[in-house]
Amino acid sequence: MTHPAPVHLQTRELFRLDERTILISGGAGAVATSVGESILESGGDAVFIDMVPAPKPETWKSIQAIAAANGTRASYYQLDVQDASNVDPVFDKIRPTLRFPLRGLVACAGISGESDACDYPVDAFRKILDVNITGTFLITQAVAKEMHRAKVTGSIVIVASMSGWNSNKGINTSAYNASKSALHQLARSLAAEWGHPQNTFLGSTPSELNPNPSNEPRAIYPPIRVNTLSPGHIDTPISEAARVRGLTSEWSKQNMLGRISQAAEFRAPVLFLLSDGSSYMTGADLRVDGGHCAW
């Protein structure tokens, strides 16, 4: 089933999110907060999830004020994205509260860790992969199921990194870099699977991990677009240790604009990817890195 192009929309409607709910994982972080506010300002309701019990009171007060001013709604739920057993129960809580179908995801949840490769503790390496890859997959899977349930089109934005394209100069973060590169491929794979039913052959091959494959025709759903956003270095509270070490000034020299980015600079790229303005874009990466990888 193909979906018609939104050619009837006026230009001012291309980046609106009216009558849609967007879920934001890692929702207590600086980028997620900034992006969430722009979603609320663009007509969408926003559901923030994060592993902390609640966002900072001053942050949440600002979010609620923006929602009230724009006739939108914001809600917050505690969820650790790598806790597979808790994903469905949290979504069972979210579902009955929604005014509009869940039609978007901004997957921001992720962690990093710096260590020389020969000294990297295996548990730390696995945790980074589990949060950044498996956790992202679990929340993306849950959102896609909700879109299928509601039989609506949707757009998923997975926050990867320019570190999925290059090896960061002067800082040893092999696990993080590998996980962000994996997110690029995860997005391409999901975009292919959820874009059109003809993209997948009938049935699947039996294996140890797939002992009883179904040969029945797959259900047909409206398309879900899946793209990645790859930011460059971002100035956030988490960057404080890097600033103390002088790393942020070095990073500023490594891109074409001579500075690192601010969290608010990712509002427009995310709105573009979520909205009908990017209706013919899927399986792609939008790199917003100040020219870092082009130099």
Side-chain angles (χ1 to χ4, degrees):
M1 174 173 58
T2 58
H3 195 73
V7 294
H8 62 285
L9 293 178
Q10 296 183 26
T11 302
R12 65 173 179 268
E13 299 174 312
L14 287 176
F15 305 103
R16 295 289 302 177
L17 299 172
D18 301 280
E19 298 185 358
R20 306 182 196 192
T21 301
I22 311 297
L23 188 137
I24 309 159
S25 68
V31 173
T33 298
S34 183
V35 166
E37 290 176 346
S38 69
I39 289 168
L40 294 166
E41 290 173 335
S42 299
D45 287 354
V47 177
F48 298 79
I49 62 169
D50 206 309
M51 64 185 300
V52 297
K56 294 179 180 178
E58 62 273 19
T59 299
W60 194 241
K61 182 178 179 180
S62 173
I63 288 172
Q64 291 286 19
I66 289 172
N70 289 275
T72 51
R73 290 184 184 177
S75 57
Y76 182 91
Y77 295 85
Q78 184 179 16
L79 175 63
D80 183 345
V81 294
Q82 64 179 326
D83 182 3
S85 64
N86 205 28
V87 172
D88 284 347
V90 169
F91 271 75
D92 288 341
K93 294 178 183 177
I94 294 172
R95 193 179 303 114
T97 70
L98 301 182
R99 293 194 298 171
F100 306 115
L102 190 59
R103 292 189 54 196
L105 166 67
V106 186
C108 291
I111 59 173
S112 185
E114 183 182 358
S115 179
D116 295 350
C118 286
D119 300 322
Y120 224 128
V122 67
D123 289 343
F125 196 98
R126 284 175 174 151
K127 182 175 182 179
I128 290 171
L129 299 186
D130 196 32
V131 173
N132 293 2
I133 303 175
T134 307
T136 298
F137 172 73
L138 289 173
I139 200 66
T140 302
Q141 179 189 56
V143 169
K145 286 180 178 179
E146 293 300 312
M147 293 176 183
H148 287 170
R149 183 195 301 266
K151 293 183 170 54
V152 294
T153 60
S155 178
I156 290 172
V157 182
I158 295 175
V159 178
S161 172
M162 69 173 187
S163 303
W165 288 107
N166 68 356
S167 179
N168 295 339
K169 183 178 180 181
I171 185 167
N172 297 333
T173 52
S174 56
Y176 176 81
N177 297 355
S179 72
K180 293 301 183 176
S181 183
L183 289 180
H184 290 152
Q185 182 64 324
L186 175 65
R188 288 190 288 264
S189 301
L190 297 179
E193 187 171 336
W194 296 335
H196 194 281
Q198 291 180 354
N199 294 344
T200 305
F201 295 119
L202 180 65
S204 56
T205 303
S207 69
E208 181 180 350
L209 298 178
N210 185 28
N212 299 302
S214 171
N215 289 315
E216 295 297 318
R218 288 181 171 83
I220 297 176
Y221 298 104
I224 300 172
R225 298 186 297 109
V226 187
N227 294 290
T228 50
L229 172 70
S230 288
H233 295 296
I234 310 174
D235 186 14
T236 69
I238 297 175
S239 306
E240 180 58 31
R243 279 191 291 273
V244 171
R245 291 173 59 193
L247 294 181
T248 53
S249 60
E250 288 299 316
W251 292 338
S252 296
K253 300 173 186 176
Q254 294 174 10
N255 66 64
M256 297 176 180
L257 297 181
R259 62 175 176 84
I260 64 174
S261 67
Q262 300 296 313
E265 292 185 281
F266 299 96
R267 294 175 297 169
V270 169
L271 285 177
F272 168 66
L273 292 174
L274 286 174
S275 69
D276 290 327
S278 60
S279 58
Y280 200 57
M281 184 175 179
T282 195
D285 179 61
L286 180 57
R287 198 172 66 216
V288 185
D289 67 349
H292 186 111
C293 293
W295 215 348

PDB file of all heavy atoms in Angstrom, residues 23 43 46 79 81 93 109 115 120 125 134-135 163 165 173 213 219 223 280:
ATOM      1  N   LEU A  23       6.497  10.948  20.795  1.00  0.00           N
ATOM      2  CA  LEU A  23       7.175  10.442  21.991  1.00  0.00           C
ATOM      3  C   LEU A  23       8.661  10.772  21.898  1.00  0.00           C
ATOM      4  O   LEU A  23       9.261  10.655  20.820  1.00  0.00           O
ATOM      5  CB  LEU A  23       6.962   8.943  22.132  1.00  0.00           C
ATOM      6  CG  LEU A  23       7.473   8.332  23.445  1.00  0.00           C
ATOM      7  CD1 LEU A  23       6.462   7.337  24.003  1.00  0.00           C
ATOM      8  CD2 LEU A  23       8.825   7.644  23.250  1.00  0.00           C
ATOM      9  N   GLY A  43       2.261  22.402  17.397  1.00  0.00           N
ATOM     10  CA  GLY A  43       0.927  21.817  17.388  1.00  0.00           C
ATOM     11  C   GLY A  43       0.832  20.388  17.827  1.00  0.00           C
ATOM     12  O   GLY A  43      -0.271  19.827  17.890  1.00  0.00           O
ATOM     13  N   ALA A  46       3.315  16.062  23.261  1.00  0.00           N
ATOM     14  CA  ALA A  46       4.615  15.438  23.493  1.00  0.00           C
ATOM     15  C   ALA A  46       4.570  14.559  24.739  1.00  0.00           C
ATOM     16  O   ALA A  46       4.091  14.985  25.790  1.00  0.00           O
ATOM     17  CB  ALA A  46       5.702  16.494  23.634  1.00  0.00           C
ATOM     18  N   LEU A  79      10.867   5.559  32.370  1.00  0.00           N
ATOM     19  CA  LEU A  79      11.134   4.309  31.656  1.00  0.00           C
ATOM     20  C   LEU A  79      12.608   4.251  31.281  1.00  0.00           C
ATOM     21  O   LEU A  79      13.137   5.167  30.657  1.00  0.00           O
ATOM     22  CB  LEU A  79      10.281   4.202  30.390  1.00  0.00           C
ATOM     23  CG  LEU A  79      10.557   2.978  29.498  1.00  0.00           C
ATOM     24  CD1 LEU A  79      10.244   1.685  30.245  1.00  0.00           C
ATOM     25  CD2 LEU A  79       9.775   3.046  28.196  1.00  0.00           C
ATOM     26  N   VAL A  81      14.969   2.648  28.829  1.00  0.00           N
ATOM     27  CA  VAL A  81      14.724   2.046  27.514  1.00  0.00           C
ATOM     28  C   VAL A  81      15.327   0.660  27.369  1.00  0.00           C
ATOM     29  O   VAL A  81      14.906  -0.111  26.494  1.00  0.00           O
ATOM     30  CB  VAL A  81      15.238   2.947  26.375  1.00  0.00           C
ATOM     31  CG1 VAL A  81      14.449   4.240  26.302  1.00  0.00           C
ATOM     32  CG2 VAL A  81      16.736   3.220  26.508  1.00  0.00           C
ATOM     33  N   LYS A  93       0.084   2.453  30.028  1.00  0.00           N
ATOM     34  CA  LYS A  93      -0.308   3.646  30.787  1.00  0.00           C
ATOM     35  C   LYS A  93      -0.466   4.856  29.868  1.00  0.00           C
ATOM     36  O   LYS A  93      -1.359   5.681  30.059  1.00  0.00           O
ATOM     37  CB  LYS A  93       0.734   3.958  31.863  1.00  0.00           C
ATOM     38  CG  LYS A  93       0.849   2.931  32.973  1.00  0.00           C
ATOM     39  CD  LYS A  93       1.957   3.329  33.941  1.00  0.00           C
ATOM     40  CE  LYS A  93       2.157   2.290  35.031  1.00  0.00           C
ATOM     41  NZ  LYS A  93       3.293   2.645  35.932  1.00  0.00           N
ATOM     42  N   ALA A 109      17.580   8.832  23.796  1.00  0.00           N
ATOM     43  CA  ALA A 109      18.232   8.157  24.918  1.00  0.00           C
ATOM     44  C   ALA A 109      19.544   7.520  24.472  1.00  0.00           C
ATOM     45  O   ALA A 109      19.592   6.792  23.478  1.00  0.00           O
ATOM     46  CB  ALA A 109      17.303   7.104  25.508  1.00  0.00           C
ATOM     47  N   SER A 115      37.364   5.331  27.062  1.00  0.00           N
ATOM     48  CA  SER A 115      38.370   4.409  27.595  1.00  0.00           C
ATOM     49  C   SER A 115      39.254   3.939  26.458  1.00  0.00           C
ATOM     50  O   SER A 115      38.789   3.786  25.329  1.00  0.00           O
ATOM     51  CB  SER A 115      37.706   3.197  28.268  1.00  0.00           C
ATOM     52  OG  SER A 115      38.681   2.299  28.770  1.00  0.00           O
ATOM     53  N   TYR A 120      39.335  -1.331  27.996  1.00  0.00           N
ATOM     54  CA  TYR A 120      37.881  -1.143  28.094  1.00  0.00           C
ATOM     55  C   TYR A 120      37.246  -2.290  28.884  1.00  0.00           C
ATOM     56  O   TYR A 120      37.323  -3.448  28.472  1.00  0.00           O
ATOM     57  CB  TYR A 120      37.256  -1.098  26.695  1.00  0.00           C
ATOM     58  CG  TYR A 120      36.221  -0.004  26.529  1.00  0.00           C
ATOM     59  CD1 TYR A 120      36.300   0.902  25.480  1.00  0.00           C
ATOM     60  CD2 TYR A 120      35.170   0.119  27.422  1.00  0.00           C
ATOM     61  CE1 TYR A 120      35.364   1.913  25.326  1.00  0.00           C
ATOM     62  CE2 TYR A 120      34.232   1.119  27.280  1.00  0.00           C
ATOM     63  CZ  TYR A 120      34.336   2.013  26.226  1.00  0.00           C
ATOM     64  OH  TYR A 120      33.417   3.009  26.085  1.00  0.00           O
ATOM     65  N   PHE A 125      31.467  -1.716  28.018  1.00  0.00           N
ATOM     66  CA  PHE A 125      31.268  -1.784  26.570  1.00  0.00           C
ATOM     67  C   PHE A 125      29.871  -2.310  26.261  1.00  0.00           C
ATOM     68  O   PHE A 125      29.133  -1.738  25.441  1.00  0.00           O
ATOM     69  CB  PHE A 125      32.333  -2.689  25.951  1.00  0.00           C
ATOM     70  CG  PHE A 125      32.470  -2.554  24.464  1.00  0.00           C
ATOM     71  CD1 PHE A 125      33.455  -1.761  23.914  1.00  0.00           C
ATOM     72  CD2 PHE A 125      31.621  -3.231  23.602  1.00  0.00           C
ATOM     73  CE1 PHE A 125      33.601  -1.632  22.535  1.00  0.00           C
ATOM     74  CE2 PHE A 125      31.738  -3.109  22.226  1.00  0.00           C
ATOM     75  CZ  PHE A 125      32.732  -2.307  21.696  1.00  0.00           C
ATOM     76  N   THR A 134      20.218  -1.616  21.662  1.00  0.00           N
ATOM     77  CA  THR A 134      19.054  -2.405  22.059  1.00  0.00           C
ATOM     78  C   THR A 134      17.957  -1.513  22.625  1.00  0.00           C
ATOM     79  O   THR A 134      16.780  -1.685  22.301  1.00  0.00           O
ATOM     80  CB  THR A 134      19.454  -3.469  23.094  1.00  0.00           C
ATOM     81  OG1 THR A 134      20.544  -4.241  22.584  1.00  0.00           O
ATOM     82  CG2 THR A 134      18.279  -4.392  23.384  1.00  0.00           C
ATOM     83  N   GLY A 135      18.321  -0.552  23.453  1.00  0.00           N
ATOM     84  CA  GLY A 135      17.320   0.356  24.020  1.00  0.00           C
ATOM     85  C   GLY A 135      16.613   1.157  22.951  1.00  0.00           C
ATOM     86  O   GLY A 135      15.389   1.339  22.993  1.00  0.00           O
ATOM     87  N   SER A 163      29.666  10.669  15.041  1.00  0.00           N
ATOM     88  CA  SER A 163      30.616   9.633  15.445  1.00  0.00           C
ATOM     89  C   SER A 163      30.314   8.287  14.803  1.00  0.00           C
ATOM     90  O   SER A 163      31.124   7.364  14.901  1.00  0.00           O
ATOM     91  CB  SER A 163      30.616   9.484  16.972  1.00  0.00           C
ATOM     92  OG  SER A 163      30.924  10.710  17.591  1.00  0.00           O
ATOM     93  N   TRP A 165      29.984   8.240  11.635  1.00  0.00           N
ATOM     94  CA  TRP A 165      30.608   8.436  10.327  1.00  0.00           C
ATOM     95  C   TRP A 165      32.129   8.512  10.409  1.00  0.00           C
ATOM     96  O   TRP A 165      32.824   8.241   9.431  1.00  0.00           O
ATOM     97  CB  TRP A 165      30.098   9.727   9.684  1.00  0.00           C
ATOM     98  CG  TRP A 165      28.694   9.653   9.198  1.00  0.00           C
ATOM     99  CD1 TRP A 165      27.591  10.241   9.747  1.00  0.00           C
ATOM    100  CD2 TRP A 165      28.222   8.949   8.056  1.00  0.00           C
ATOM    101  NE1 TRP A 165      26.461   9.945   9.025  1.00  0.00           N
ATOM    102  CE2 TRP A 165      26.822   9.151   7.967  1.00  0.00           C
ATOM    103  CE3 TRP A 165      28.844   8.157   7.080  1.00  0.00           C
ATOM    104  CZ2 TRP A 165      26.035   8.600   6.960  1.00  0.00           C
ATOM    105  CZ3 TRP A 165      28.063   7.605   6.070  1.00  0.00           C
ATOM    106  CH2 TRP A 165      26.677   7.833   6.021  1.00  0.00           C
ATOM    107  N   THR A 173      36.599   6.521  22.167  1.00  0.00           N
ATOM    108  CA  THR A 173      35.221   6.138  22.499  1.00  0.00           C
ATOM    109  C   THR A 173      34.739   5.082  21.501  1.00  0.00           C
ATOM    110  O   THR A 173      33.750   5.270  20.800  1.00  0.00           O
ATOM    111  CB  THR A 173      34.288   7.363  22.470  1.00  0.00           C
ATOM    112  OG1 THR A 173      34.467   8.047  21.215  1.00  0.00           O
ATOM    113  CG2 THR A 173      34.588   8.328  23.598  1.00  0.00           C
ATOM    114  N   PRO A 213       9.192 -19.935  11.825  1.00  0.00           N
ATOM    115  CA  PRO A 213       8.799 -18.762  11.024  1.00  0.00           C
ATOM    116  C   PRO A 213       7.433 -18.943  10.388  1.00  0.00           C
ATOM    117  O   PRO A 213       7.035 -20.048  10.021  1.00  0.00           O
ATOM    118  CB  PRO A 213       9.891 -18.698   9.961  1.00  0.00           C
ATOM    119  CG  PRO A 213      10.355 -20.106   9.821  1.00  0.00           C
ATOM    120  CD  PRO A 213      10.279 -20.697  11.204  1.00  0.00           C
ATOM    121  N   ALA A 219       0.837  -8.544   7.529  1.00  0.00           N
ATOM    122  CA  ALA A 219      -0.205  -7.514   7.571  1.00  0.00           C
ATOM    123  C   ALA A 219       0.297  -6.253   6.879  1.00  0.00           C
ATOM    124  O   ALA A 219       1.492  -5.946   6.894  1.00  0.00           O
ATOM    125  CB  ALA A 219      -0.587  -7.214   9.013  1.00  0.00           C
ATOM    126  N   PRO A 223       2.666   3.478   5.817  1.00  0.00           N
ATOM    127  CA  PRO A 223       4.135   3.541   5.926  1.00  0.00           C
ATOM    128  C   PRO A 223       4.615   4.332   7.137  1.00  0.00           C
ATOM    129  O   PRO A 223       4.003   5.318   7.543  1.00  0.00           O
ATOM    130  CB  PRO A 223       4.548   4.234   4.627  1.00  0.00           C
ATOM    131  CG  PRO A 223       3.348   5.020   4.215  1.00  0.00           C
ATOM    132  CD  PRO A 223       2.164   4.211   4.641  1.00  0.00           C
ATOM    133  N   TYR A 280       9.183  12.512   1.567  1.00  0.00           N
ATOM    134  CA  TYR A 280       9.808  11.554   0.650  1.00  0.00           C
ATOM    135  C   TYR A 280      11.207  11.165   1.131  1.00  0.00           C
ATOM    136  O   TYR A 280      12.044  10.715   0.375  1.00  0.00           O
ATOM    137  CB  TYR A 280       9.882  12.139  -0.767  1.00  0.00           C
ATOM    138  CG  TYR A 280      10.052  11.098  -1.852  1.00  0.00           C
ATOM    139  CD1 TYR A 280       9.137  10.056  -2.004  1.00  0.00           C
ATOM    140  CD2 TYR A 280      11.127  11.162  -2.739  1.00  0.00           C
ATOM    141  CE1 TYR A 280       9.298   9.104  -2.995  1.00  0.00           C
ATOM    142  CE2 TYR A 280      11.289  10.214  -3.742  1.00  0.00           C
ATOM    143  CZ  TYR A 280      10.374   9.187  -3.863  1.00  0.00           C
ATOM    144  OH  TYR A 280      10.532   8.242  -4.851  1.00  0.00           O
TER     145      TYR A 280
END
